[in-house]
Amino acid sequence: MLDIRALRQDGEAIKAALAKRGYSLDLDAFSALDAKRKQADVRSQDLQAERKKASKQVGQLIQSGMNVDEAKAQVAETLKTLDAELDQEVAKAKAIHDEITEFLMGVPNVPQDSVPEGADEDDNIEVSTWGTPKSFDFEPKDHVDVGEALKGGALDFENAAKLSGTRFAVMSGGVARLHRALVDFMLDIHSSEHGYEEVYVPYLVGPEALRGTGQLPKFEEDLFKMQGERELYLIPTAEVPVTNLVAGDILEADTLPRRFTCHTPCFRSEAGSHGRDTRGLIRQHQFEKVELVQMVRPEESDEALEQLTGHAEAILQKLDLPYRKVILCGGDLGFSSTKTYDLEVWLPSQQKYREISSCSNFRDYQARRMQARWRNPETGKPELVHTLNGSGLAVGRTLVAILENYQNADGSVTVPEALRPYMRGLERLQ
């Protein structure tokens, strides 16, 4: 959520910055709400002052010669009238404050100056590439054909559809093992080499957690909501529960930065994506990710984004998967992000790079919604932390990349060397 003080002072500048992402900020609507808020607050303060003054009039009335009981009765009647009006004004002020909060909840984060102009993913800018796409002496298959041809039909979409409908998968045998190996491999690297603390979190969260990271109220249609006594949602990403671990906290300076890595399933309705990537594992309702989350001092968040992105890149490099790094343009930027790098892995069947990780800096946008703060030792006062996260990596898409990049002419799949210790030395899926 944006700083309301910044909106009041630099509204036009913020509106211009938000235009980079194609968002039109209704400053007139905000100013009108803020004026109503100020009027209601001032009236409430005036009534409180009148009430305080009236409560002191009993003694003055008695001194002027009025009977004690009559003086008390007169003041009590005055206080009753003031209390009724004050209750109305307080309720009115609260309603306006809530309306302003809802308005701010719908405003996306301001892009950094380094974010390029552009309308959509076609305008993202390539920053770097790593590795060379493999040349095959046969026509490479896509991951669906590769997986279904492996022993026992190790990648099975037909039975998944029988169980749950489209955009689900059943894995078995070597593919299921490879999928599990990827999770263990990623968690080990991030926790032992990159300094992240591994955490396990609930897969169901309340609406307040989703508001904290920016999925609610704007993106409710993308979520799976549970039916039951409590209002709970299946998590769309581990970002939600892990980032909210510090919601409402004041972190001591010597505990920063906080770095967490977490493996969870993720659940998304994929609203509005009909017809996109309907084949295979690219866009599923249920998939797995190993997430990276950081909470840092404000002055460190820009550098932290570079480091976090590098941690995700390290996984691709250890798996020897060619990829490129792009910076998202304003029009493709996520709602809560102020700057994002996407890592896109090479898929031979498509002859193109496809997203496998998205790494973002949110600055204080999420922290303000969650009231996640740290105590600045120089001032002794609490200030908002900066939050970041990224996929390190999306497990299903990494599996896709391995099946395609490591396929052989006989239909088998070579297991990347880095994963063989997690596969009990197995070198090939037959």
Side-chain angles (χ1 to χ4, degrees), residues 7 9 126 130 163 218 226 273 349 389:
L7 268 179
Q9 296 170 5
E126 182 177 282
W130 186 93
L163 294 172
K218 190 171 180 62
M226 306 301 291
S273 65
S349 69
N389 72 53

Side-chain angles (χ1 to χ4, degrees), residues 174-227:
V175 169
R177 285 182 61 187
L178 187 60
H179 187 268
R180 175 163 53 93
L182 281 168
V183 173
D184 290 343
F185 169 68
M186 293 177 192
L187 287 173
D188 281 353
I189 297 300
H190 293 315
S191 59
S192 65
E193 296 185 16
H194 299 154
Y196 290 82
E197 178 183 357
E198 183 179 347
V199 293
Y200 173 84
V201 295
Y203 303 158
L204 292 166
V205 295
E208 63 283 351
L210 290 154
R211 280 193 286 269
T213 45
Q215 283 78 16
L216 286 179
K218 190 171 180 62
F219 302 105
E220 183 158 13
E221 65 175 2
D222 291 323
L223 304 171
F224 285 107
K225 188 174 183 179
M226 306 301 291
Q227 291 184 342

